[in-house]
């Protein structure tokens, strides 16, 4: 019989391609209620591939976890959320959770699900009000990213300024965010920003993120061109 660690690792690698079966969902629900916080975090990571109400319910429960990493992973995966219950929970966590990592991931997922719930206008107002009080750089990165994704293009400038943040983790988060918003409408501007920053960036990790963002976008662009027969 496969042990839990092996089950989680294999499902983590396969779920994006093949989804999650009812039997696997039952096992994930069991593990989500057990003591191992690393395994609970893995359950949250895997459930981003869920298309069922049960997956969303497990993630909602994990947003109440005592371990902040589990809460953060659950918030991150709740970008799949489709209910007002999830929206309200993410909104609360983006404002009230004591850990910046959780607030940051809750912010992005809140913006991701707002359109499907016809809550974009309210969400923009809420996130802009948070800019007045939020001090943690990682959360501000996610606020600027979320607002840009919802059409507030003026926040690109503030996001790019944080490429000069003192902590390399935050500079890496900005590079990832720029990759997230990169598309054919802004590719010239954002690719230029990334390539310019790469010349002066001292952290190998941040340089690797920038290179990966550019490579993935080039592969995506080639794929689109091939589909169009260009």
């Amino acid at each position: 019989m496969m042990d839990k660690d092996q089950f989680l690792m294999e499902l983590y690698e396969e779920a994006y391609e093949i989804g999650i079966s009812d039997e696997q969902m039952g096992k994930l629900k069991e593990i989500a209620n057990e003591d191992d916080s690393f395994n609970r975090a893995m359950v949250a990571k895997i459930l981003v591939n869920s298309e069922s109400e049960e997956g969303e319910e497990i993630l909602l429960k994990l947003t109440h976890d005592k371990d902040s990493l589990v809460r953060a992973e659950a918030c991150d995966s709740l970008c799949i959320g489709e209910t007002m219950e999830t929206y309200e929970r993410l909104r609360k966590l983006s404002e009230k959770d004591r850990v910046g990592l959780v607030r940051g991931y809750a912010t992005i997922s809140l913006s991701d699900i707002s359109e499907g719930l016809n809550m974009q206008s309210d969400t923009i107002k809420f996130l802009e009000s948070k800019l007045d009080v939020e001090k943690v750089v990682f959360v501000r990165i996610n606020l600027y990213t979320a607002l840009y994704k919802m059409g507030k293009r003026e926040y690109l400038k503030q996001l790019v300024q944080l490429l000069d943040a003192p902590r390399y983790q935050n500079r890496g988060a900005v590079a990832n965010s720029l990759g997230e918003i990169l598309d054919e409408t802004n590719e010239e501007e954002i690719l230029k920003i990334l390539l310019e920053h790469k010349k002066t960036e001292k952290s190998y990790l941040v340089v690797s993120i920038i290179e990966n963002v550019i490579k993935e976008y080039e592969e995506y662009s080639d794929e689109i061109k091939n589909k169009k027969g260009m």
Side-chain angles (χ1 to χ4, degrees), residues 117-135:
L117 294 164
N118 199 27
M119 293 292 290
Q120 275 201 306
S121 178
D122 287 355
T123 306
I124 287 168
K125 286 178 196 165
F126 170 67
L127 295 181
E128 287 187 321
S129 74
K130 272 173 55 63
L131 283 173
D132 295 332
V133 292
E134 182 59 67
K135 299 289 190 287

Side-chain angles (χ1 to χ4, degrees), residues 176-222:
N176 273 323
S177 285
L178 289 171
E180 202 176 318
I181 63 176
L182 181 55
D183 62 30
E184 59 204 21
T185 69
N186 59 26
E187 62 179 30
E188 190 175 339
E189 183 179 13
I190 289 181
L191 289 173
K192 183 181 176 186
I193 288 163
L194 288 168
L195 287 167
E196 283 296 315
H197 184 74
K198 185 184 162 191
K199 292 176 187 173
T200 56
E201 176 56 59
K202 300 288 192 290
S203 164
Y204 173 75
L205 179 66
V206 180
V207 169
S208 297
I209 291 170
I210 291 171
E211 288 174 346
N212 197 45
V213 163
I214 294 169
K215 179 172 175 253
E216 283 188 4
Y217 186 71
E218 285 173 347
E219 287 171 357
Y220 163 79
S221 292
D222 289 344

Side-chain angles (χ1 to χ4, degrees), residues 8-199:
L8 289 168
M9 287 310 298
E10 288 188 7
L11 188 54
Y12 177 64
E13 289 172 8
E14 295 170 0
Y16 177 73
E17 297 286 344
I18 62 173
I20 301 168
S21 70
D22 290 345
E23 185 183 348
Q24 289 167 331
M25 187 66 77
K27 186 88 183 273
L28 290 173
K29 190 173 184 178
E30 282 177 27
I31 297 170
N33 287 310
E34 292 174 2
D35 289 338
D36 190 315
S37 61
F38 177 80
N39 284 351
R40 295 198 305 277
M42 280 298 295
V43 169
K45 269 180 177 282
I46 290 164
L47 285 172
V48 74
N49 302 293
S50 168
E51 293 180 358
S52 70
E53 287 179 18
E54 190 171 15
E56 189 170 347
E57 284 166 10
I58 295 168
L59 286 169
L60 271 171
K61 186 176 181 217
L62 289 172
T63 66
H64 294 273
D65 202 279
K66 63 182 183 293
D67 188 296
S68 61
L69 182 59
V70 177
R71 295 199 305 281
E73 293 290 1
C75 287
D76 194 22
S77 290
L78 276 170
C79 61
I80 64 161
E82 296 181 343
T83 67
M84 277 306 295
E85 183 184 1
T86 294
Y87 180 89
E88 294 297 344
R89 179 66 183 147
L90 288 170
R91 179 170 168 146
K92 182 176 181 183
L93 287 166
S94 72
E95 191 171 27
K96 305 285 189 191
D97 198 280
R98 60 188 172 75
V99 176
L101 195 68
V102 180
R103 296 199 303 279
Y105 284 126
T107 295
I108 283 290
S109 288
L110 184 72
S111 70
D112 286 340
I113 72 171
S114 65
E115 185 176 5
L117 294 164
N118 199 27
M119 293 292 290
Q120 275 201 306
S121 178
D122 287 355
T123 306
I124 287 168
K125 286 178 196 165
F126 170 67
L127 295 181
E128 287 187 321
S129 74
K130 272 173 55 63
L131 283 173
D132 295 332
V133 292
E134 182 59 67
K135 299 289 190 287
V136 174
V137 174
F138 177 74
V139 187
R140 293 187 74 83
I141 290 167
N142 285 278
L143 284 166
Y144 296 140
T145 306
L147 286 161
Y148 183 92
K149 285 167 74 177
M150 287 190 288
K152 305 287 281 184
R153 296 295 172 112
E154 63 267 30
Y155 287 105
L156 179 61
K157 184 180 177 185
Q158 285 96 319
L159 178 62
V160 170
Q161 283 174 345
L162 291 175
L163 273 172
D164 295 324
R167 297 184 68 207
Y168 76 86
Q169 294 95 331
N170 287 326
R171 300 197 302 277
V174 175
N176 273 323
S177 285
L178 289 171
E180 202 176 318
I181 63 176
L182 181 55
D183 62 30
E184 59 204 21
T185 69
N186 59 26
E187 62 179 30
E188 190 175 339
E189 183 179 13
I190 289 181
L191 289 173
K192 183 181 176 186
I193 288 163
L194 288 168
L195 287 167
E196 283 296 315
H197 184 74
K198 185 184 162 191
K199 292 176 187 173

